[in-house]
Amino acid sequence: MKQLVLIKYGEIILKGLNRPFFEEALVKNIKAALPDSFKGQIHRAQATIYVEPDDPAIIDEVIHRLTKVFGITSLTRAFVLPKDIESMKTGTAEVLAPVLQNIRRFKVEAKRADKKFPLTSPQICQEVGGYLHDTFPNLVCDVHNPEEIVMVEVRDEYAYAYCGKVKGAGGMPLGSNSKATLLLSGGIDSPVAGYMTAKRGVKLNAVHFFSYPYTGERAKDKVMSLAKILAGYNPRMDVHIVPFTEAQLAIKKNCPEEQLTIIMRRIMMRIAEKIALQTGSKALITGESIGQVASQTMEALAVTNEVVRMPVFRPVIGMDKEEIVTIARKIGTFETSILPYEDCCTVFTPKHPNTKPKLDRIIQSEAKLNIEELVAKAVEGVEVITV
């Protein structure tokens, strides 16, 4: 019996006259995520996308890949049935027998997208549920606490039967909300911030500040591993590796120790903004959370923001570490993030950082630096790696 993948999406349905734009973006991303071996049909109708491979043996791989496509709320392997009630009853029993033979409590739910179908949704549930109950002696109908829910959908051309849904990534289709540049460190927070922004349909590129020889190749490799994990949700991401040693040494030599972190962050933001503008990004993204470290107090964030004009997104700003770690585990970045390789933000950390910096004093200290030259050299020396 013919099988396919039914894909459901949520938020896109509310987009009114703009809905086709988001649906087309989602279909484009689905096609890009499918394995190279995929041959078959993809089409959409009635707020559902149908992915029908010629070879049903690859359906599990298709589902696995599509769980990382933003915009999808759920997906499932479904069986195609003729659109008459007798075929729906016998067909559902046949295709779902491997599941129904091994459970006790079940429930049937029906969706009648084709309103011309002669039976209502409750009537479909009664007919199919009664047949399954009679066919499988082990089954008991339990609408409150079923082990499995049997779904029957009646649509324009066919009916579909399935059991169980796989949760999708949710959010909005990638690329439907412009591009932003992520300041990607080797820590836990910034990959989560990138993931959360990408989930809203924002295409990512990334900037990583590399302070060789104070940070080694293993630290760089760690960041590239994080980028590859993010690329599972944000395909073909450019990572801009910025040589930052000269800037950090200049700051350390000329500026008060307690201001090192703030001035370093301000130069990072200047560099990131230049790269963002060059790459068509509309905003910067950081993994900062209020009060987590000295450079993330409200006063420090305000001083840091002062050097850039484009918006700065901070998706984890109100989260505690446990909440951020939960998401990092979910998306697969946590184990890489905790590898013990330092990044440039940790090797020059002052013993007593200024947690409430004054902008006028920071600007006074920065006057001792040739900031334009430091920024220009860093941007000129960028290495771009695509993952």
Side-chain angles (χ1 to χ4, degrees):
M1 192 167 291
K2 190 161 67 171
Q3 303 176 41
L4 47 69
V5 179
L6 288 183
I7 297 173
K8 303 297 180 69
Y9 46 90
E11 204 173 335
I12 296 173
I13 295 173
L14 307 176
K15 293 301 179 182
L17 296 177
N18 291 323
R19 177 171 156 182
F21 165 78
F22 292 95
E23 289 177 328
E24 289 167 10
L26 179 54
V27 170
K28 179 181 177 181
N29 293 340
I30 287 171
K31 290 179 178 178
L34 292 173
D36 294 337
S37 61
F38 178 86
K39 293 181 180 179
Q41 299 179 358
I42 302 171
H43 67 281
R44 57 185 169 91
Q46 299 174 304
T48 300
I49 296 173
Y50 304 76
V51 177
E52 185 177 343
D54 293 342
D55 179 7
I58 70 169
I59 283 183
D60 287 340
E61 182 184 358
V62 167
I63 290 175
H64 174 71
R65 285 171 174 260
L66 295 184
T67 55
K68 292 187 176 182
V69 174
F70 291 123
I72 296 174
T73 57
S74 68
L75 55 164
T76 188
R77 176 194 294 261
F79 297 86
V80 184
L81 305 175
K83 208 169 71 172
D84 64 84
I85 191 61
E86 292 303 318
S87 296
M88 289 159 58
K89 288 158 53 175
T90 58
T92 300
E94 177 185 346
V95 298
L96 298 183
V99 175
L100 299 176
Q101 290 169 346
N102 293 296
I103 63 168
R104 175 72 173 161
R105 304 182 310 277
F106 84 110
K107 171 186 178 181
V108 177
E109 292 184 0
K111 181 176 182 179
R112 189 181 64 142
D114 177 8
K115 301 305 179 185
K116 295 180 182 179
F117 190 75
L119 299 181
T120 65
S121 294
Q123 289 171 332
I124 295 170
C125 290
Q126 291 170 0
E127 290 284 341
V128 175
Y131 185 84
L132 296 179
H133 183 270
D134 294 341
T135 303
F136 298 95
N138 55 298
L139 288 182
V140 173
C141 182
D142 186 341
V143 297
H144 299 295
N145 189 32
E147 294 173 70
E148 291 286 352
I149 298 175
V150 174
M151 288 294 308
V152 179
E153 297 192 19
V154 182
R155 294 184 170 271
D156 286 342
E157 295 185 50
Y158 300 101
Y160 302 89
Y162 58 89
C163 228
K165 294 180 180 179
V166 177
K167 188 176 181 180
M172 299 295 294
L174 193 71
S176 63
N177 281 309
S178 298
K179 181 192 288 187
T181 295
L182 169 67
L183 279 73
L184 180 62
S185 72
I188 297 171
D189 305 337
S190 59
V192 171
Y195 165 83
M196 293 179 66
T197 307
K199 187 174 181 178
R200 301 308 306 158
V202 178
K203 188 79 174 72
L204 302 180
N205 60 16
V207 171
H208 174 67
F209 295 90
F210 185 54
S211 298
Y212 185 82
Y214 299 97
T215 54
E217 288 297 323
R218 289 189 300 179
K220 180 179 174 182
D221 291 342
K222 171 185 174 181
V223 169
M224 294 311 303
S225 295
L226 291 170
K228 287 177 183 177
I229 297 170
L230 286 179
Y233 302 91
N234 176 74
R236 195 170 176 79
M237 179 168 69
D238 288 337
V239 182
H240 298 75
I241 308 295
V242 178
F244 200 52
T245 309
E246 184 175 347
Q248 285 191 290
L249 292 175
I251 297 167
K252 184 174 178 61
K253 179 180 178 181
N254 295 287
C255 301
E257 183 186 10
E258 68 274 10
Q259 296 178 353
L260 295 183
T261 301
I262 293 297
I263 294 175
M264 179 187 70
R265 293 291 297 174
R266 280 164 61 91
I267 293 182
M268 282 181 169
M269 297 293 275
R270 290 180 173 102
I271 294 169
E273 184 177 49
K274 282 191 176 295
I275 294 171
L277 291 170
Q278 291 174 358
T279 58
S281 291
K282 306 299 182 184
L284 301 176
I285 308 163
T286 77
E288 291 160 315
S289 172
I290 290 179
Q292 191 174 109
V293 295
S295 63
Q296 296 176 18
T297 63
M298 291 188 69
E299 293 85 352
L301 293 174
V303 171
T304 301
N305 269 16
E306 190 269 340
V307 297
V308 295
R309 298 188 63 183
M310 64 170 45
V312 181
F313 298 156
R314 295 180 170 95
V316 302
I317 193 72
M319 293 186 181
D320 61 33
K321 203 66 176 184
E322 184 177 348
E323 292 170 315
I324 298 171
V325 166
T326 298
I327 298 174
R329 291 185 186 279
K330 170 188 168 185
I331 66 176
T333 57
F334 178 75
E335 295 300 329
T336 302
S337 291
I338 62 174
L339 293 174
Y341 308 132
E342 293 184 315
D343 62 31
C344 69
C345 293
T346 57
V347 294
F348 288 98
T349 302
K351 292 182 179 180
H352 302 289
N354 190 343
T355 59
K356 295 184 178 181
K358 302 295 184 183
L359 179 59
D360 56 343
R361 294 180 184 175
I362 297 297
I363 292 175
Q364 184 179 6
S365 296
E366 286 182 341
K368 302 172 185 177
L369 303 170
N370 189 337
I371 289 180
E372 288 188 9
E373 181 180 339
L374 291 172
V375 171
K377 281 187 176 182
V379 173
E380 185 179 348
V382 164
E383 174 192 5
V384 181
I385 303 174
T386 301
V387 293

